[in-house]
Structure formats: structure tokens, C-alpha cells
Amino acid sequence: MQSLAELEALCTHLYIGTDLPQRIEAEKALLELMDSPECLSKCQLLLEQGTTSYAQLLAATCLSKLVSRVTPLPIEQRIDIRNYILNYVASQPKLAPFVILALVQVIAKITKLGWFEVQKDQFVFREIIADVKKFLQGTMEHCIIGVMILSELTQEMNVIDYSRSSAKHRKIATSFRDTSLKDFLVLACSLLKEVVAKPLNLQDQCQQNVVMQVLKLVFNCLNFDFIGSSADESADDLCTVQIPTTWRMIFLEPETLDLFFNLYHSFPPPLSQLALSCLVQFASTRRSLFSSPERAKYLGNLIKGVKRILENPQGLSDPGNYHEFCRFLARLKTNYQLGELVMVKEYPEVIRLIANFTITSLQHWEFAPNSVHYLLTLWQRMVASVPFVKSTEPHLLDTYAPEITKAFITSRLESVAVVVRDNLDDPLDDTTTVFQQLEQLCTVSRCEYEKTCTLLVQLFDQNAQNYQKLLHSASRITVDVAIQEGRLAWLVYLVGAVVGGRLTYTSTDEHDAMDGELSCRVFQLISLMDTGLPQCSNEKIELAILWFLDQFRKTYVGDQLQRTSKVVHLRRDVPTVPEKNWKIAKVYARMSEVLGITDDNHVLETFMTKIVTNLKYWGRCEPVISRTLQFLNDLSVGYSLTAITYILLKKLVKIDAVKFMLKNHTSEHFPFLGISECYSLSDFKCRTTFYTALTRLLMVDLGEDEDEFENFMLPLTVSFETVLQIFNNNFKQDEVKRMLIGLARDLRGIAFALNTKTSYTMLFDWIYPTYLPILQRAVNQWYGEPACTTPILKLMAELMQNRSQRLNFDVSSPNGILLFREASKMICTYSNQILSLGNLSKDQIYPMKLKGISICYSTLKSALCGNYVSFGVFKLYGDNHFDNVLQAFVKMLLSVSHCDLLQYRKLSQSYYPLLECLTQDHMSFITNLEPPVLLYVLTSLSEGLTTLDTVVSSSCCTSLDYIVTYLFKHIAKEGKKPLRSREATQAGQQLLHFMQQNQDVLQQMMSVLMNTIIFEDCRNQWSVSRPLLGLILLNEKYFSELQASLINSQPLPKRDTLAQCFRNLMEGVEQSLSVKNRDKFTQNLSIFRRDVAEALRCDSSTEPGNLDMMS
């Protein structure tokens, strides 16, 4: 038993220690304390006699863990803990803030988890609200603690604990919303009014702390999940606050909004920031809360507040205030239509102020760059709404949108010199943000497009000329070249954005001509840059060019033309050239004069020439290679499967650059295909994309030409022969490894693209039997190196995929069995070797072991479900490959813990579908498992049923249904004693005997499924219903106990209703598992779920009920 001094020393090591081993030991010792019976007494000791704040923090943390356990402490003990903490913080209000916060969070957890618990007909844990009022009547410090309790309780009520029933959380949150939340908001607003009414002393830290805690309480009230939507917090711009109708009067009072605008202007940051955060929520209030006149008045008050802030912009110099104000502006347009905004009296003045504010923000690009997103969102949505405005009031966007576009363009160009000279982080390096901003700008730029185009042409010509002068100058300065290259990169991105904007905005023939004028300049720049390779090159310009090419492809190439310029490829028998072709000529007019590019055929040639150039000269630049290959991949597959697609692909394969790639895909021509150590193994991943795209192009004219395929595979044949020779001579092992990694990735790309039986057969005949043994040997030799084994295992998994029935070989062909034998050998080899690694650390277990196991499971699942192997043949002819791979499956499974099965998503999504295949077609294997193994499998099913991943839970339901059906049929036939296989009877008897020895397994699963149906948000109800009927028929006695337990746990008035629900559930359901009977039960279950939900719905402020069916 540790003394107080020892505990405090451990706390110091844990929270502020710098010695890592000491911290780990301290954490281990303190975790043991949390699980010990002495935990409560130790916490009390630390709180009462601890000399450091960290000791008190540890006590609070331990108490939080104790009260959050799934099996709760006795109600009396929790009441005692709550009262003790309340008295403790009341007697010591000057504790460290983080200690008070941790203790208040314990009170919040106790209150939430005991919200419906009753003692002497009283909801004992709701008395917290009365207790808080005592704090509010005390000193300033006590008032702060009281508001903190309300704020943390509100936040705790809003947090979903995924380890508990989501229905229980929703019921508690709904009850809290209906009984307390409005009172909290009213109280907070009244406290704020009292503060504002008194003379403000900005030096009074205590007063500021009160305001801060009250504002946090208001924000938590407004940020509450009112309707249980659990909205994704990352989707900030889509949020609407679903304020209850009973709150209308609070929002209709103009004083409410005025209060928060006044608080913003009265207090310094971070208080002003919190006031703005609350205003963001006010601006997001659902529209349906108001009538049309009320909504117009409410919007008018918001606009007045915006005007006041912009006319007094001093507070916006704080980054926090600035960010929240930008969010506030974006929410205004999200929640209100442009037609409503223009009707506000102050609109012309406010839109002018917002435009000036946006222009200033864009010019100061280094200040709060993450906030620009919200301003661009505002303008993007405003401009996109213009075609739908019916109001006669002017929207003035044609005046201000071009100014916004100009400010964005010029500010980005001006930023380059500062970034280069001061060596700052380049915004162009954050491509995610750049792309997001460009996609927003493209809509804004199309408003008064002539002005945008004129500006871009002028800037492009000016910067291109300056760049050419620098290149030809003998005394050029590196910094000046870097600045011009950065500006050109931005200009290319901007041209790509505005050309891509054609798809988002109504365009005219003149706009198409302008697109041609801009595009012409980028294509000229491409020629200039490629002429200077490899001496003169710039990564940023190359990435920008690839972005432009992709935007141009989406807008003006292939079947996109039908949706843009409406060009169609005419039949030869059509004599006239319609206006549609004349329209597309507008785009290519200028390009034809300058570059000779007259149509999309020439554009495709330019695309492919650029791709080949990049692959030749940028081999050591992974970003450029990766983006180039993605562009190539999009060209080969990026269109819908239409006649135009086929014509486009036929055009592509006639291009010389494509023919060159198909015949010369070697490291000599494309250095990124090399195995030199200057390339990291992670760079090899792009090879799969390259060969997928290349093989798609090969397939266009391949047909049944085996010679063509052999010629295409020749570079890979040479590489494999080299590997084979080195393997036999046993030297340069590292070089072999790198070659094999590259080959595995190449072949996976090829296999992925071969979706016909003829082409796949060509690949199989090429790889088997000559080269697959090399891959087997590699897995055996380098099993402990995932960089090598993972690509090989993924290749095998791809080969086993029967996509588009490509593996349905001819009747006389043994290829399906031969392929399965090779997969079996590889899985068995890998499993034997990987299990020899022993125990692995937490950070190593997935990359070193579990990832490989998940790929093996995916491979086996594809084989079992592919319908190209008759597995009965193996036993018939004494071939043990099938038995071996099943035993390997078991060995690998037993080496994985249940928690790891569910923790790693890829593993669970390969294991459970595989188990589904085994229970569907190979029940004899399941029934013959050793009892501990079978128990492990069934336990994994039971745990999988509760997961939130519907793919996993549905697979578990299906697997359980197959097992239960097998068992039910065996019991049904046992009494009839038909003439049937003794082996099948013994298998069924084994399973029955196991279930009789472990009855709790199926009973537990029945409880889980019933709990899911009644209390959870069941998204796969049909899947859950199928095994549930079999479980009920096999365990009728337990089902009766289960329903009696639920009924008796409810108040007396509800019991008869629930009993009737259960009777209705089994009405018309027979003692069979026929399809008709299952469908009847599924139908009944749907009605049962609805009726039980209605019966359990009650006035939660007066009628508690137990929501737990199972322990």
C-alpha cells in the first residue's frame, strides 16, 4: 500500500516528469491504483492531504474512471461521492482551475449516468440544479464554480459514449433538453445582463472569469444536439441549430442578439471571441423557428450587428475574433437566401463593407489563413444564388465579385516575393487548401468573367515575358527566378480554376473563347518548360500544370463536352455541321492559330506527350510522378462507360506517346520504374497506378492476341528471369528484394485492369508455373519485412478476385484449382513464419503481423466465394491444400486477441466476411473445430454483433444465422432418424453437444440482438431478424425469461402493453426456419420495434424506467 508521499511522487512523474521510463512506470502504478479496492480511500487521502495540485488532479481522474464504469457503483456510494465533491469545491474555491474542472466533470458524469435513477420516488441526481443555485448565491469564486457545473453538465449530456447504449444516451439527453436546458440558457442570459448593467472593470480578473464561464454555458446550450443528429463537426458550413419551438420567445426578443453584440464590443479577447461563437450559433438557428416577418426582422438584427462590427473593426485584429466573425458571415448565407438578404434595408452598405473586409483579408494573406475559407464560402454561395433571385432589389454582386477575384489573384502573386525572400512556409505547398480555395474562387470568378479573363491574360503575359528574359539572361539571380516561377505556378492554378468554373456557372460562347485564350497561354508555357528539361525545371509549376490539364480535361475533353459545349461526334451520314460543333470551335479558335490545336484529338496528344515527358524527366520527384500517374489513370478510366468513352480510348491508343509507353515501359525510359536505392520503397506504390492505366490502354485493341500480350510483358519477364538467376546464385539479396517489390506492384496493377476471361487467362499462363514459386520463396525468406510481403500478398489477393467472372475458366481447365493451390501454399507459408515472430509491441503488431493476416483472410474469402473452385475435389483426391489453408486460418486467428479483431478495421472487415463464407458453405469445418477454437469463433461473433460498423455486424448476423439454422435442422431431423450420412449426423451432434455445454453463448447473442432491436439505432434490422428467429426457437425458455425481465423492469402501467408487444411478435410464427416463416417474423419484428419504442416513450420527467436488458 503506497503512502501519500509515494503517490505524490508518482503524480509528479506522470504529469510533469521528463524521464520517459519514469513516466511509464508511474502510469502503470497509477493504473493499478484505479483498479484496486482501495481506490476511493486513496482518492480521499489525496484530496484532503495532498500538497500538490497534481495529486488532486489524479484523485479527480480516478473518481471519473470509477463513476464511468459499465457496472455502476451502488447508488448510495455515487450520491456520497457527488456530495463530497460539492462540499470539497465549496470549501476550497481557490483550487487550481484544472483541478476544479476535473472535479466538476466527475459531478457531470455522475449526474448524467444517474439521470433516471430514483430513490424514495425522487430523481436524486437531478438535485444538482438546486445545489448549483447555492453556489450562485455565494462569492464570485463560488459563482464561477456553479456556472462551471452547469456548463460541464450541458456538455457531458451532449457527448455520446459509444461503449454504452446510444438509445439510453438519447433518452437522457432528450429529458435533459426538455426539463433543464432552456432554464440554463435563461439563467445564463440573465447573469450576462447583470454583468453588462454594472460598471465594467476590465482589470477585474474575477469578473472576466465569470463572464467567460457564463458565455461557455450559453455556447454549450446553443451547441446542444437537440434532435440527435450527431452532425459531423467537420462539416462546419452545413450546420443548422435545431432550436426547440419552446425557445422562440428568447430568440424573438431583439435584446437577446443585442446583448451578445454588446458583449463583443465591451470585452477583450478571448471573451469577445466567445461572444462571437454564440452569435455564430444564433445566426445558424433553423429558419422554421420563425414566421416570414419574424425571420426578416431577426435577419435585419443580425445584419445590423454585422454592420456595427465592420464599422468598428478594431476587435477583428485578434485572430480568434477574426476567425469567428468569418464563420459568422458564412453561416448567414448558409441559413438565409440571397433574395432575403437583399431585402434588408442595410444590405447595400453591408455588402460594401463585407467586400472591403474580404479584400483586406485577402491582401493580408499571412494573417489567419484558415479563416479565408469561410469568406470564400460566403461569396461562392452568394454568386451561385444569383440566377435564382427573383427580387427586384439589386444584389450588387456584379460590382463586388470581380473585385474579390482580383484581390485573390493579385494578393497570391504578391505573396510569392515575401515567401521566397523571407523563407516562409509557401501556401502552394499546402495543396489541399489551395485546391479548396480555387474550387470556391472558380464560381466567384465567373461573375463578370470578362474582367477576370482580361486581368489573368495581362498578368500571365507580363510574368511569362519576365520569366523568359530571366532564363535568357546571363546574370540571372536565383531568387528572382524563384519568384517568377512561383507567380507562374499561381497563375496556372488560377487559369485551371476559372476554366473548371465553366461547369459550375452559366457560360456563353464569348466565355468559351476566353477559356481558349487563357488555355493557349498555359499550353505555351508547357512547351517552354518541357524544352528546358532537365536543366530548367520547377516542381511547383509542374504540379500547377497537371491541375490545369485535369480541369481542362473535365471541361472540354471527351463526353464532358455533352454537358458543356454540347459537342457530339457526328455520324458520317449526317451532312451538316450543326451549331454544337461551331460552339466548341470558340474554345479552340485561338489555340488553333497559335498552337495548331484544333480539337480534343490534338489536346489528347498534348496530354499524353506531357505525361511521357514527366515520367521520363521527373522520376525522382514523387509528387510530380504521383500526380502525373493519377492524371493518366483518370484519362484511362475517368469517364462513364459510354460509346463516347470507347471512341476516346480508341483515340488515345492511336497516339504515338501511348504506343511508346506500351512498348517501352522500362526504367531506361521511365526512371521511376528503377530499383535504385535513391527511391524509397514507399515510392514504388505509384507503379501499381501506372500499370493499371497502361493495361487498360493495352486492352482496347488486345482481343485474343497472345503475342501482343507477351510483348507487353517482356520487361517483366526479363526482370523475373534476373531475379531467378540471382536467387539461384544467392548474391545481391537486397537488390532482388527491391526488384520483387516492384514486380509485385506492377503485376497487381496489371491484374486489376484485366477484367475479361481471355486477358486474365493470358496473365495466368504467363505467371504460372514459372514465376509464382519465386513469390512463394520471397514470402518465406522475408516474412518479417512487411515492405516486401505486403505487396506480394496483395498481388495474390488480386489474382484471386473473380471480378466480372474473369476466373470462370473452361470446363476442361484445371486453372482454378491450380491457382487456389498456389494461394494456399502462400497463406500457409506466411502463417507459419509470421507466428514464429512471437509477441510484438503495440506499435508493431499491426504492420508486422495483423496487416498481413487481414490480406490473407481477404485472399481466402475471395477464393471461397469466387465459385471457380470445387472444394470437394481436394478431399476426394487426397489433396490437403484446402485443409492446410483452413488450419492456417485457425492458427492465425488464435494468435489475435478479440479486441484487436474489432480495433483494426481492415482486419475485422476481412475476418468477418470470411467467417460468413465458411459458415455458409463449410459448416463441416466449423463443427469439427476444437471446443476452445469454436468458443473463440462464437465469442468473436457475439462481440462483432455490437460493433457500429454495419458491414461487420451484418456479416456476424449472417454467420450466426447459418450456424443456428444448421443446428435447428439437425435437431429437427434427429427425431425422424432418416437414412442419411453418419458423418453429417456426427458433425451435427458435435455442435449440439458443444452448445449444450456452453448455453450462455447463444443466450448472450440473443440478448445482444434483442437489445439492438429495442434500444439501439438498428441500421440493419433485416440482418438482425434472420438469426434472431432461430435463437428464439432454440432457446424458448430463455426468451421467456428475457421478456419477463424487460417487462418487470418497467413501471406497472407499461407492463401490459409490453407483454402484448411480445405476444404480437410471435403471432403467426411457426416452429420452422422456412423462408416464408422467416419473412413473417421479420415483418412482425418491424412492428414490434415500433410498438415497443412507442410504449417506452414516456414523460421522462415523471416516469423513470430501466433501459438495460442484459448485464
Side-chain angles (χ1 to χ4, degrees), residues 216-358:
K216 283 182 179 178
L217 173 57
V218 173
F219 179 77
N220 287 339
C221 289
L222 296 174
N223 201 40
F224 197 78
D225 187 6
F226 294 99
I227 59 172
S229 59
S230 301
D232 179 8
E233 292 179 6
S234 64
D236 199 332
D237 54 336
L238 300 174
C239 190
T240 300
V241 181
Q242 301 291 339
I243 298 295
T245 307
T246 54
W247 295 23
R248 278 183 81 248
M249 295 313 298
I250 302 174
F251 285 74
L252 288 176
E253 294 173 1
E255 296 81 8
T256 304
L257 283 177
D258 291 344
L259 171 65
F260 288 91
F261 280 116
N262 290 335
L263 285 166
Y264 163 75
H265 289 287
S266 302
F267 284 97
L271 299 180
S272 52
Q273 181 185 341
L274 272 171
L276 277 174
S277 297
C278 294
L279 285 166
V280 170
Q281 298 303 102
F282 278 112
S284 309
T285 303
R286 64 182 172 95
R287 296 166 51 82
S288 54
L289 187 68
F290 311 107
S291 63
S292 292
E294 290 168 346
R295 191 183 310 120
K297 185 178 179 182
Y298 187 75
L299 175 60
N301 291 331
L302 288 169
I303 295 295
K304 285 177 187 174
V306 172
K307 183 182 175 187
R308 185 180 167 195
I309 290 174
L310 289 172
E311 287 175 340
N312 302 277
Q314 300 85 356
L316 297 177
S317 59
D318 174 73
N321 285 350
Y322 173 79
H323 184 76
E324 289 303 316
F325 183 65
C326 292
R327 289 182 64 227
F328 179 63
L329 292 176
R331 288 285 180 94
L332 275 178
K333 180 57 194 79
T334 301
N335 223 21
Y336 295 94
Q337 299 166 5
L338 181 58
E340 293 173 316
L341 289 167
V342 299
M343 298 303 292
V344 177
K345 181 181 176 183
E346 290 84 0
Y347 174 80
E349 178 63 15
V350 169
I351 196 69
R352 182 187 68 80
L353 290 169
I354 293 175
N356 291 338
F357 172 69
T358 305

Side-chain angles (χ1 to χ4, degrees), residues 931 935 993-1003:
L935 183 61
H993 178 71
F994 174 84
M995 292 301 183
Q996 288 170 341
Q997 296 293 316
N998 299 273
Q999 293 184 17
D1000 59 317
V1001 176
L1002 292 184
Q1003 291 173 0

Side-chain angles (χ1 to χ4, degrees), residues 68 167 301 334 486 598 733 759 836 876 895 934 943 1058 1089:
S68 303
N301 291 331
T334 301
T598 57
Q733 293 294 306
S759 58
S836 68
L876 187 64
S895 73
L934 185 54
E943 294 187 358
L1058 283 173
R1089 185 166 183 261

Side-chain angles (χ1 to χ4, degrees), residues 514-703:
M514 293 175 202
D515 284 349
E517 192 74 36
L518 288 169
S519 301
C520 178
R521 283 159 170 76
V522 180
F523 282 114
Q524 285 179 306
L525 180 64
I526 292 173
S527 299
L528 174 67
M529 296 301 294
D530 289 352
T531 304
L533 287 172
Q535 292 81 14
C536 177
S537 62
N538 182 271
E539 179 184 328
K540 290 185 174 67
I541 293 181
E542 289 301 327
L543 293 173
I545 286 171
L546 289 167
W547 157 267
F548 162 79
L549 293 178
D550 197 45
Q551 296 302 306
F552 192 90
R553 174 189 70 82
K554 291 174 182 176
T555 311
Y556 288 114
V557 177
D559 60 349
Q560 301 300 323
L561 296 175
Q562 288 185 305
R563 294 193 286 275
T564 55
S565 292
K566 302 178 183 175
V567 171
V568 294
H569 294 267
L570 303 175
R571 300 195 314 273
R572 290 180 181 176
D573 56 343
V574 178
T576 59
V577 179
E579 183 190 354
K580 295 173 183 176
N581 272 3
W582 174 77
K583 286 182 74 175
I584 195 65
K586 290 279 185 181
V587 180
Y588 290 109
R590 180 65 175 158
M591 293 168 64
S592 175
E593 291 174 19
V594 179
L595 304 170
I597 297 177
T598 57
D599 55 22
D600 60 346
N601 285 343
H602 289 146
V603 170
L604 287 175
E605 288 181 17
T606 306
F607 285 175
M608 297 312 302
T609 303
K610 180 61 183 167
I611 288 169
V612 170
T613 302
N614 281 6
L615 297 181
K616 274 186 175 183
Y617 294 106
W618 287 92
R620 294 192 179 185
C621 182
E622 195 276 334
V624 172
I625 289 293
S626 179
R627 194 82 63 79
T628 303
L629 290 175
Q630 189 57 52
F631 181 55
L632 173 62
N633 189 59
D634 291 342
L635 279 172
S636 70
V637 76
Y639 306 98
S640 55
L641 295 175
T642 62
I644 289 180
T645 305
Y646 183 69
I647 294 170
L648 181 81
L649 290 173
K650 293 288 280 186
K651 288 179 181 178
L652 276 173
V653 296
K654 290 177 182 175
I655 295 171
D656 290 339
V658 174
K659 293 177 182 176
F660 177 82
M661 279 198 294
L662 289 171
K663 291 180 180 177
N664 299 282
H665 45 98
T666 62
S667 59
E668 179 187 350
H669 297 283
F670 303 120
F672 78 98
L673 295 174
I675 59 167
S676 166
E677 291 189 1
C678 64
Y679 300 108
S680 72
L681 292 178
S682 61
D683 291 349
F684 282 26
K685 292 179 181 178
C686 62
R687 296 171 63 145
T688 304
T689 307
F690 175 67
Y691 272 99
T692 298
L694 210 54
T695 308
R696 286 199 191 104
L697 296 172
L698 173 73
M699 290 275 289
V700 175
D701 289 329
L702 180 63

